[in-house]
Each structure stands twice: as structure tokens, then as C-alpha cells.
Amino acid sequence: MAEPQNSKIFNAKDLIAYFIVAGTGAVIQLISSSLIQDWFDISWSASIVPSYLVGLIWGFTLTKLFAFNARQSNQTRREMVKFFMVAMVSMVVTKVGADLSYEVVTNYLGYGIYEAKLPFGKKDVNITEMACYIFGQGCSFVSNYILHKTFTFKSTGFYDRLKELIKES
């Protein structure tokens, strides 16, 4: 008996929808990272976490509505808790991937720092940092897709067990 198309982890429809949604979130993160650096005069590395949190709000809504066809699941609260848990893992993956790739690119491969002026920014944007940030986002894209598909937007019983554990405490 053939397995339903949605149950495969890497089915084309979900993967394409998630790529578009995640791409939108990535653009929001990159723009907010640049703005946060400008407005608060902080380093690129320090802007990754706050910009990730900005993208998190957009990400949940877009992912629920468009990526995994969970619009009418009637389990939004459960999905929010699980989404936040996956997002925290993903934030670490993004930060570590970006920081490590920057270290490798600049210190081990010997590439320089390339900068460009954006029309809305006060300072030049470091293209090397931006490319490493995108690499970190790519690492988290893979882990996010798998975790959201198999955990966040799938009923696993985890949320019910978590509620029971909290009640007992």
C-alpha cells in the first residue's frame, strides 16, 4: 500500500512551501540584523539573536498558514510551544553556523572583509559577515524543516505529556 504524500519528510510540495516561507523569514532576519546594528551600534554577531527573534514571530504565522497545511489544526497553542522549542535549537544552529563559518572564512581561508553601502543604512554592510550569516541560516533551514515537519506540526503527544508534567510540579 502506498504511503500518503504528506507523510514523507521530504515531499516536494511541503519543501517548496517551506523554502518560500523560510526565505521570507531569512530576508526579514537579514534586514532586521542590519537595522539593529545601525540603530543600536552593536556588532554583527550580537545582532544575530535579536534579529532571529524578530523573524520568529513572522516565521510561526507563515509556517502554520502556508508550509505544512496546519491552518485548521485547532492546535495553535501546542504548535506555538513546540515551534518555540525548535526555534531555540535553530537559533543556536544559526549563531554557531554563522560564527564558525566566519572564523573559517577569515582566519583559515584568509578571505578579507568586503563591505558595501546600503541605501537605508548609516554604515557599510560587511558582505563577508552577511554571507556567513546566510550560511548559518542555511544550516538551520535543514534542521528546522525536519523538526517542524516531524515534531511541531505533527501530533506526537509531547505537548500533552509536557502539560501533565507541569501540573505535577
Side-chain angles (χ1 to χ4, degrees):
M1 183 177 207
E3 177 175 308
Q5 182 70 4
N6 319 8
S7 66
K8 292 180 186 173
I9 290 179
F10 292 107
N11 75 64
K13 179 182 163 257
D14 285 350
L15 194 55
I16 290 168
Y18 186 73
F19 182 79
I20 292 168
V21 167
T24 303
V27 168
I28 290 168
Q29 285 179 34
L30 292 172
I31 291 170
S32 64
S33 175
S34 294
L35 292 174
I36 288 168
Q37 287 174 60
D38 264 0
W39 294 341
F40 299 104
D41 198 29
I42 61 174
S43 72
W44 158 76
S45 185
S47 74
I48 291 174
V49 171
S51 66
Y52 188 87
L53 295 173
V54 169
L56 177 68
I57 297 161
W58 290 93
F60 175 76
T61 305
L62 294 175
T63 303
K64 178 169 176 61
L65 294 177
F66 301 112
F68 297 121
N69 198 23
R71 241 176 254 155
Q72 294 148 354
S73 69
N74 295 324
Q75 299 180 17
T76 300
R77 187 177 307 154
R78 174 187 69 82
E79 292 164 349
M80 286 173 89
V81 169
K82 291 165 77 172
F83 189 91
F84 182 76
M85 292 169 68
V86 169
M88 292 302 98
V89 169
S90 177
M91 183 172 59
V92 171
V93 169
T94 301
K95 178 95 171 92
V96 170
D99 287 345
L100 283 177
S101 65
Y102 186 78
E103 183 72 22
V104 168
V105 166
T106 58
N107 293 331
Y108 296 105
L109 298 178
Y111 286 98
I113 306 298
Y114 300 98
E115 294 184 338
K117 184 75 173 160
L118 291 180
F120 56 83
K122 294 183 246 175
K123 300 185 289 187
D124 289 347
V125 172
N126 185 319
I127 302 299
T128 307
E129 290 172 345
M130 185 75 68
C132 292
Y133 192 0
I134 292 169
F135 175 80
Q137 288 177 321
C139 294
S140 75
F141 172 84
V142 174
S143 66
N144 263 356
Y145 176 82
I146 292 169
L147 288 171
H148 286 319
K149 176 87 175 180
T150 61
F151 176 69
T152 305
F153 296 103
K154 182 175 183 179
S155 183
T156 60
F158 174 80
Y159 184 70
D160 295 327
R161 289 191 301 271
L162 180 63
K163 282 194 328 190
E164 287 302 316
L165 183 65
I166 292 170
K167 280 183 189 177
E168 291 173 9
S169 297

